[in-house]
Amino acid sequence: MKITMMGGRLAGSVLLLAVAMAGCNNNDFTTPAKDITLATTTVGRVLTGAEGKTLYFFASDVAGQSTCTSAQCAGNWPAFYKDNTMLLLSEGLADNDFATITRTDGAKQTTYKGWPLYYFKNDTKAGDVLGENVGGVWSVAKPNYSVQLAAGQLKGNDGKNYTTPNTVTYVEGQGTTIYLADAAGRTMYGFSPDKKNKNTYTRADFSNNATWPLVEIPLVSLQELPSNLKRTDFSSITVFGRDQLTYKGWPLYYFGGDNAVRGMTKGVSVPRPGVWPIFNANSIEAPN
């Protein structure tokens, strides 16, 4: 008798479960929409946010904090934010590349590889990339830049501020300068005595490489660039068995005194301004 009752209860439970499952439809198991995805646009693969809208980087944010803080800038370039613990990413994106910063106005913003993320107000639909190269300082957020543009006040190792009105002469003063950095925001320099595709600084035993390390990116590994930089201006040379990236024929270096800190430009004053220049699209070609 007990067995019959238990069997009846079990059968009833199975029936109820079957009815409940029959009442479900496919929408009950829909995968949540991703917060950030990778999408193909006319300028390549880019990060996108809500409704597939393109996300952007700002060159002035090279140090990792948002500098788009005025009412006008923030209105034109709304910040993207999603709590990292709830951020849903599409395949090909890694959780540890994303972080959260607190802006000067107290609001939070999501960063990707240290670069704060923004939308552009003139993008009205998925696939729009109208913010690309605006002012020469905004670029679509791509996952694989090798070189990026930085913008800010040049501050030397001597603690003084510098500007470079013609990318050759350096003078003390306040002003924003655009310059090349790597994807991690580290400033790239040249050495003024160098010749076209000729490194005249590095010793064969690399005993001075810690002071001015080579930018070791072989040309075959060079990935994305901001659209206002020409790929044909980049190449690479071999320096005592190591690859060194060049720009307009200038071998590129980091400055050890920057300590690999984003946005540091201490090398511009060592040992005096102009010996270790920064570069941008207006820089002259290296001499033969």
Side-chain angles (χ1 to χ4, degrees), residues 67-79 103-105 121:
T67 57
C68 180
T69 55
S70 70
Q72 181 178 7
C73 187
N76 289 332
W77 301 92
R103 295 160 54 92
T104 56
D105 60 5
K121 73 168 188 178

Side-chain angles (χ1 to χ4, degrees), residues 9-180:
R9 289 173 183 170
L10 180 60
S13 297
V14 171
L15 179 61
L16 288 173
L17 179 60
V19 170
M21 292 183 65
C24 295
N25 55 49
N26 291 337
N27 292 332
D28 294 319
F29 301 98
T30 300
T31 301
K34 299 296 188 288
D35 298 304
I36 298 182
T37 62
L38 283 171
T40 301
T41 69
T42 56
V43 295
R45 295 274 282 174
V46 305
L47 274 65
T48 65
E51 300 177 350
K53 299 285 186 64
T54 300
L55 294 169
Y56 294 87
F57 297 141
F58 185 29
S60 296
D61 292 350
V62 60
Q65 282 293 327
S66 173
T67 57
C68 180
T69 55
S70 70
Q72 181 178 7
C73 187
N76 289 332
W77 301 92
F80 172 89
Y81 172 66
K82 178 74 175 183
D83 187 334
N84 275 31
T85 63
M86 303 174 63
L87 194 62
L88 297 177
L89 305 173
S90 69
E91 186 176 351
L93 296 173
D95 290 337
N96 58 7
D97 284 332
F98 294 87
T100 299
I101 58 170
T102 301
R103 295 160 54 92
T104 56
D105 60 5
K108 295 186 181 299
Q109 185 169 4
T110 300
T111 65
Y112 178 69
K113 295 184 177 179
W115 296 87
L117 293 170
Y118 304 83
Y119 294 110
F120 182 45
K121 73 168 188 178
N122 289 355
D123 287 346
T124 60
K125 63 183 184 301
D128 283 351
V129 287
L130 300 178
E132 171 66 2
N133 200 29
V134 169
V137 291
W138 289 91
S139 57
V140 293
K142 293 185 177 182
N144 55 343
Y145 281 109
S146 289
V147 177
Q148 291 192 209
L149 291 176
Q153 176 68 60
L154 300 179
K155 188 169 185 176
N157 196 52
D158 56 6
K160 297 178 181 179
N161 292 331
Y162 291 93
T163 62
T164 175
N166 54 15
T167 72
V168 175
T169 304
Y170 288 73
V171 297
E172 287 186 45
Q174 303 283 335
T176 297
T177 298
I178 298 174
Y179 57 94
L180 301 185

